[in-house]
């Protein structure tokens, strides 16, 4: 029954999927805690705009999307710091703007091509060899950089003014988070689709925060959760013949509900014990 | 030579000048209490001392023995998110980051510093507790332990006791006093509880737009501004 697991396209999907799940889980924790949950969503729309334009000119999609999304990530963080446009409106402006440009570009280039629809809804099962190599390199570098700067990312996320005050270059680490997020979104778009990639960033973090109380345990739980949900999602999407990206998201929703229930029961038990004693 | 020399500084906040022509010195071992009405620029001054805010005029000079990564800072509680998952140990340990440079991981020395400071503030048994589930007083001790992990010389505290009940708050003042007296740590504290604050301070800085007062506590007690504040009777000055 599980023969399909050894097929080449499945193996590719697993390698890229696990790496992307890991990167998005790691970054997701910082983004959710910094109240930047929607940045992933905004950036994926920017990614869509960039891809469509790349399609018009016949350029390789990732080569255009990566720099454009990175610039957008910087802009969003900058706008967040200045108080003239609030963070959520900044994201709305940039994401709907690029969506509009993307739609125009798509219609110019002669409607929805397979390539564009692949990026819109994700198509992890049709990845080429070069897609896999590029995704693997990018995702591994994100993971490596995150691990190396883990302590500083914690400090800056927990209390930016203290970090700045004691001489940590908080601005630099915010930019670092922005670049890593941009890379994650671009790589993840291929797999999850621009419409769904942000859920991969947000869900594992939100789910883990329900139960775990230290930063390290939340990070570890998110990583395990994200990879497991992806694995279960990919296998069940194959068996049920459902779209992979959407199935992974649904598994994440189930995990969130389970964690929510566990934390609810734990809280009730604690209250019960307190009132009893 | 003073630890910090502020020469004729002016500070503005949202293009409004809040402090003008302010000069003062802080020497090693001083306990300086900064008071003033709301909006008089107390927090802005602290941010300027930390280098988070640029001066519109004048200069702040630190003595050679004090580099920027040797300042311990206790921010106002509001700066920290209420629902952040972090253990006490993680928070205290993060205070030692400024001394570890580009190294990606904590060294044994960092861990020892963090553990010493937790011991000093009596929060060792909370090591693995979740920061957000602690009481207000415990949280302040954790943040103080973090600040101490970042410095052995200078502590800047921005209204550390706001929101704490009187007993916890006076405990906290005693801890600060002990750090100042026994460990020789220089303290600069913004406070709105002038009566308690004045008890421990060696110097007072009363911010007022045009005629700020700076001097030893004894002189301050004799000046009119101070009497007005103290007779006002309320702690919310």
């Amino acid at each position: 029954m599980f023969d399909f697991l050894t097929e080449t396209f499945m193996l590719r999907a697993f390698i890229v999927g696990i790496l992307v799940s890991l990167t998005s889980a790691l970054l997701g924790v910082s983004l959710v805690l910094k109240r930047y949950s929607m940045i992933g969503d905004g950036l994926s729309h920017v990614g869509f705009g960039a891809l469509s334009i790349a399609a018009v000119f016949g350029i390789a999609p990732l080569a255009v999307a990566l720099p454009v999304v990175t610039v957008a990530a910087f802009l969003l963080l900058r706008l967040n710091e200045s108080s003239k446009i609030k963070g959520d409106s900044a994201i709305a402006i940039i994401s709907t703007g690029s969506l509009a440009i993307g739609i125009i570009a798509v219609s110019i280039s002669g409607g929805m091509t397979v390539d564009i629809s692949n990026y819109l809804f994700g198509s992890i099962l049709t990845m080429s060899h070069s897609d896999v190599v590029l995704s693997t390199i990018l995702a591994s570098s994100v993971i490596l950089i995150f691990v190396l700067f883990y302590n500083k990312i914690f400090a800056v996320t927990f209390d930016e003014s203290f970090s700045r005050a004691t001489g940590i270059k908080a601005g630099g680490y915010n930019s670092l988070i922005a670049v890593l997020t941009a890379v994650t979104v671009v790589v993840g778009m291929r797999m999850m689709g621009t419409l769904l990639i942000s859920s991969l960033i947000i869900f594992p973090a939100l789910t883990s925060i329900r139960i775990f109380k230290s930063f390290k345990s939340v990070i570890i739980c998110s990583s395990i959760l994200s990879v497991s949900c992806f694995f279960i999602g990919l296998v069940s999407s194959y068996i049920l013949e459902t779209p992979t990206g959407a199935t992974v998201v649904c598994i994440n929703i189930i995990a969130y509900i389970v964690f929510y229930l566990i934390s609810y029961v734990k809280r009730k038990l604690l209250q019960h014990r307190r009132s009893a004693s | 030579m003073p630890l910090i020399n502020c020469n004729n500084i002016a500070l503005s906040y949202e293009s409004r000048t809040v402090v003008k022509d302010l000069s003062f010195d802080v020497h090693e071992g001083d306990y300086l209490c900064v008071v003033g009405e709301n909006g008089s620029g107390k927090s802005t001054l602290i941010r300027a001392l930390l280098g988070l805010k640029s001066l519109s005029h004048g200069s702040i000079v630190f003595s050679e023995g004090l580099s920027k990564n040797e300042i311990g800072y206790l921010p106002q509680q509001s700066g920290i998110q209420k629902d952040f998952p972090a253990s006490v140990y993680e928070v205290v340990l993060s205070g030692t980051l400024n001394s570890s440079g580009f190294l990606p991981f904590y060294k044994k020395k960092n861990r020892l510093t963090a553990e010493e400071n937790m011991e000093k503030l009596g929060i060792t048994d909370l090591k693995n507790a979740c920061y957000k589930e602690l009481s207000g007083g415990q949280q302040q001790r954790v943040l103080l332990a973090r600040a101490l992990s970042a410095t052995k010389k200078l502590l800047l505290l921005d209204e550390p006791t706001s929101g704490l009940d009187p007993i916890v708050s006076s405990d906290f003042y005693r801890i600060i006093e002990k750090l100042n007296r026994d460990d020789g740590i220089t303290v600069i504290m913004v406070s709105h509880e002038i009566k308690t604050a004045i008890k421990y301070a060696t110097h007072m800085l009363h911010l007022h737009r045009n005629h700020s007062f700076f001097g030893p506590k004894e002189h301050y007690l004799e000046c009119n501004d101070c009497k007005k504040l103290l007779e006002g009777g309320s702690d919310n000055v």
Side-chain angles (χ1 to χ4, degrees), chain B residues 12-232:
Chain B
S12 45
Y13 180 69
E14 286 176 357
S15 71
R16 192 167 59 93
T17 302
V18 282
V19 176
K20 211 165 77 176
D21 304 332
L22 176 66
S23 298
F24 66 93
D25 289 337
V26 180
H27 291 87
E28 215 172 314
D30 280 358
Y31 187 143
L32 173 67
C33 185
V34 183
V35 294
E37 287 163 33
N38 284 337
S40 59
K42 299 181 299 250
S43 295
T44 313
L45 175 66
I46 293 285
R47 292 175 61 77
L49 287 172
L50 289 166
L52 299 176
K53 172 113 187 73
S54 51
L55 303 172
S56 32
H57 188 263
S59 66
I60 298 180
V61 181
F62 286 81
S63 87
E64 276 168 32
L66 187 75
S67 67
K68 185 167 178 216
N69 57 9
E70 283 178 312
I71 301 176
Y73 171 47
L74 193 78
Q76 280 188 13
Q77 270 278 6
S78 55
I80 290 163
Q81 303 171 22
K82 291 283 176 284
D83 55 353
F84 197 103
S87 72
V88 167
Y89 188 52
E90 284 177 321
V91 175
V92 177
L93 200 52
S94 75
T96 67
L97 266 182
N98 58 351
S99 61
S100 62
F102 279 106
L103 284 174
F105 305 110
Y106 293 115
K107 284 181 293 191
K108 189 153 186 231
K109 193 185 79 189
N110 301 129
R111 294 179 192 282
L112 285 178
T113 310
E115 274 159 23
E116 264 168 39
N117 288 319
M118 288 196 294
E119 189 67 46
K120 198 182 265 177
L121 295 177
I123 49 171
T124 303
D125 52 329
L126 297 174
K127 186 174 171 181
N128 295 314
C130 175
Y131 173 79
K132 67 178 173 186
E133 287 170 359
L134 301 177
S135 69
Q138 286 169 329
Q139 287 186 342
Q140 281 307 67
R141 280 176 189 238
V142 174
L143 295 187
L144 184 58
R146 177 182 67 168
L148 286 176
S149 300
T151 186
K152 286 192 166 58
K153 291 178 180 163
L154 173 65
L155 270 182
L156 291 173
L157 306 106
D158 195 351
E159 304 210 358
T161 57
S162 64
L164 299 183
D165 68 57
I167 297 173
V168 177
S169 155
S170 57
D171 271 351
F172 195 82
Y173 276 108
R174 268 195 292 275
I175 297 174
I176 301 290
E177 192 213 0
K178 200 159 164 291
L179 290 171
N180 175 249
R181 201 186 48 211
D182 299 349
D183 299 340
I185 294 176
T186 311
V187 175
I188 300 178
M189 181 197 282
V190 168
S191 182
H192 59 266
E193 294 168 306
I194 185 164
K195 283 180 186 166
T196 327
I198 214 165
K199 204 156 70 188
Y200 298 112
T202 59
H203 291 72
M204 296 298 288
L205 173 60
H206 183 138
L207 290 181
H208 194 283
R209 197 171 311 161
N210 295 320
H211 49 278
S212 299
F213 172 92
F214 171 74
K217 176 172 75 174
E218 293 72 27
H219 293 186
Y220 183 66
L221 286 169
E222 285 159 14
C223 92
N224 285 333
D225 275 343
C226 162
K227 282 181 189 140
K228 226 188 303 174
L229 278 180
L230 284 174
E231 277 159 19

Side-chain angles (χ1 to χ4, degrees), chain A residues 94-117:
Chain A
I94 291 189
S95 79
T96 49
S98 2
L99 202 56
I101 294 172
I103 292 169
I104 292 174
V106 166
S107 78
I108 291 174
S109 70
M112 284 287 231
T113 59
V114 178
D115 215 27
I116 287 176
S117 125

Side-chain angles (χ1 to χ4, degrees), chain A residues 29 32-35 147-152 154-155 157-168 173 209 212-218, chain B residues 50 52 68-69 71 73 75 80-81 83-87 90-91 94-95 97-98 101-106 130-133 143 146-147 150:
Chain A
V29 176
V32 165
L33 290 172
K34 277 173 110 40
R35 301 276 184 274
V147 171
L148 285 180
F149 291 104
Y150 167 81
N151 288 322
K152 272 141 193 154
F154 166 76
T157 316
F158 180 69
D159 189 347
E160 198 171 312
S161 51
F162 178 83
S163 304
R164 279 180 197 275
T166 52
I168 293 173
Y173 289 102
I209 290 170
F212 289 94
K213 303 294 181 201
S214 77
F215 192 72
K216 198 191 247 165
S217 59
V218 167
Chain B
L50 289 166
L52 299 176
K68 185 167 178 216
N69 57 9
I71 301 176
Y73 171 47
I80 290 163
Q81 303 171 22
D83 55 353
F84 197 103
S87 72
E90 284 177 321
V91 175
S94 75
L97 266 182
N98 58 351
F102 279 106
L103 284 174
F105 305 110
Y106 293 115
C130 175
Y131 173 79
K132 67 178 173 186
E133 287 170 359
L143 295 187
R146 177 182 67 168

Side-chain angles (χ1 to χ4, degrees), chain A residues 235-257:
Chain A
V235 172
S236 36
S237 77
Y238 189 84
I239 296 170
L240 303 171
E241 292 180 19
T242 47
T244 311
T247 316
V248 173
V249 175
C250 287
I251 302 288
N252 268 299
I253 294 175
I254 295 172
Y256 181 82
I257 295 172

